[in-house]
Amino acid sequence: MFDKKVIIILFLAVGFSLTSFIRSQPSKDNKVDDAFSFNTIENKENGVVVLELFTSQGCSSCPPADILLEKAKNEYPENVFALSYHVDYWDYIGWADPFSNKNFTVKQSKYNRKLGYRGNYTPELIVNGKEHLVGSNRAKVESAINKYAAKASPNRLMSQQLDRVADKVNFNYKIEGATKGKIIRAVLLLNERTTEVKRGENSHRTLKNSNIVVAEKYLEPGDNSIVGSITIPKIVKKDEKLILMLLVENDNADITGAVKAVI
């Protein structure tokens, strides 16, 4: 008969191995050359491409995906809507990501249940709420951008009013296209920040993250407009640039329209 202590140790070891596999999915394209450029979009229809990256400063496989997301953001400023959601399940390794949020882990889990994928992993990229891929795989990211940019988006949003007053951002947007059964996700993003990581898998590395989600809320749209506000959290410094994104989602969490503005 096996010793109970031996059985417990074996069980924990297997569990840890499976957890590590689920949480970190390094791609074959795990290194990103800073000098590369994406190919030009073909068959462009000005379709929106919303890239939601689930990442962490505590994950050694994530920096290449962070770089790739910034590349896509900069090279496709009209079509690509880049969002960086920092999850909290890497914090226990030794480095508490200052942008991590348990709600973002929950958001990732909901996406994976919808897409039929068991468990969460980083770096995971969700595209328009419809598919997922490893966020550091340049070829797949580029293919997804071309795929969705070539499709006309059902909804368009146009600014009527946008201002930043004290710790709030107020907005009023006109919406074109059907809004029945849809909801608006208002997201506030920090344009970029550089962090010196002192512990964990990225210990002694200086990481730059861009389009970091720092606040979000859901709002019910009117017949053809959305009016609301979102609070700027204290983690944002006075001189840091912010981006407001409004994403239109249907009842299946597919994204049907988007707009962004620097504030």
Side-chain angles (χ1 to χ4, degrees):
M1 183 178 291
F2 288 105
D3 186 279
K4 289 184 178 180
K5 290 183 179 180
V6 174
I7 294 174
I8 292 171
I9 291 171
L10 288 172
F11 178 79
L12 291 174
V14 171
F16 178 78
S17 298
L18 289 173
T19 302
S20 298
F21 174 76
I22 292 171
R23 290 181 173 176
S24 179
Q25 293 285 320
S27 167
K28 293 180 181 178
D29 187 16
N30 201 31
K31 292 184 178 180
V32 177
D33 181 359
D34 288 344
F36 92 90
S37 292
F38 284 105
N39 293 324
T40 303
I41 293 176
E42 298 178 0
N43 302 319
K44 184 176 177 182
E45 292 291 341
N46 289 320
V48 300
V49 187
V50 178
L51 304 178
E52 298 178 66
L53 179 65
F54 290 90
T55 184
S56 172
Q57 292 181 356
C59 162
S60 61
S61 298
C62 288
D66 298 328
I67 293 171
L68 198 61
L69 188 76
E70 184 180 22
K71 280 279 185 180
K73 161 193 169 180
N74 292 335
E75 294 194 26
Y76 300 124
E78 294 181 6
N79 297 79
V80 168
F81 294 74
L83 301 94
S84 182
Y85 284 96
H86 289 233
V87 295
D88 69 341
Y89 49 81
W90 282 101
D91 290 0
Y92 79 97
I93 287 182
W95 177 253
D97 187 327
F99 302 107
S100 66
N101 190 318
K102 64 180 181 180
N103 292 327
F104 300 160
T105 299
V106 172
K107 176 185 287 290
Q108 185 183 19
S109 296
K110 288 180 179 178
Y111 267 135
N112 282 322
R113 284 196 298 272
K114 169 192 170 180
L115 299 173
Y117 188 85
R118 186 174 61 184
N120 291 341
Y121 68 91
T122 52
E124 180 179 21
L125 191 71
I126 305 293
V127 187
N128 279 26
K130 297 180 178 180
E131 61 181 277
H132 74 99
L133 52 94
V134 176
S136 55
N137 190 315
R138 186 195 344 164
K140 288 187 177 181
V141 172
E142 185 170 46
S143 176
I145 290 172
N146 278 277
K147 173 182 175 180
Y148 288 100
K151 299 178 180 181
S153 300
N155 293 107
R156 292 183 58 208
L157 298 96
M158 290 147 290
S159 177
Q160 304 287 96
Q161 176 193 0
L162 179 63
D163 56 66
R164 179 175 177 173
V165 180
D167 65 342
K168 288 187 181 296
V169 175
N170 304 306
F171 52 85
N172 181 347
Y173 278 79
K174 181 180 178 181
I175 306 173
E176 288 186 353
T179 58
K180 185 178 180 180
K182 295 181 179 177
I183 196 165
I184 305 297
R185 188 193 334 166
V187 190
L188 198 60
L189 306 102
L190 185 59
N191 183 55
E192 66 176 41
R193 188 183 288 182
T194 300
T195 306
E196 292 183 8
V197 179
K198 298 180 180 179
R199 294 177 297 279
E201 290 193 358
N202 289 312
S203 179
H204 306 302
R205 296 184 66 177
T206 299
L207 303 179
K208 183 172 80 167
N209 298 110
S210 63
N211 281 31
I212 307 161
V213 177
V214 292
E216 71 174 6
K217 65 189 297 187
Y218 285 86
L219 300 165
E220 294 282 348
D223 290 337
N224 62 353
S225 66
I226 180 67
V227 179
S229 65
I230 190 166
T231 302
I232 301 171
K234 292 181 180 180
I235 194 172
V236 177
K237 301 173 184 176
K238 290 184 179 180
D239 60 343
E240 289 184 307
K241 185 187 297 183
L242 290 170
I243 300 166
L244 174 71
M245 286 191 190
L246 298 181
L247 310 178
V248 185
E249 298 182 8
N250 65 18
D251 56 7
N252 193 40
D254 298 336
I255 295 172
T256 63
V259 71
K260 57 186 172 181
V262 178
I263 49 178

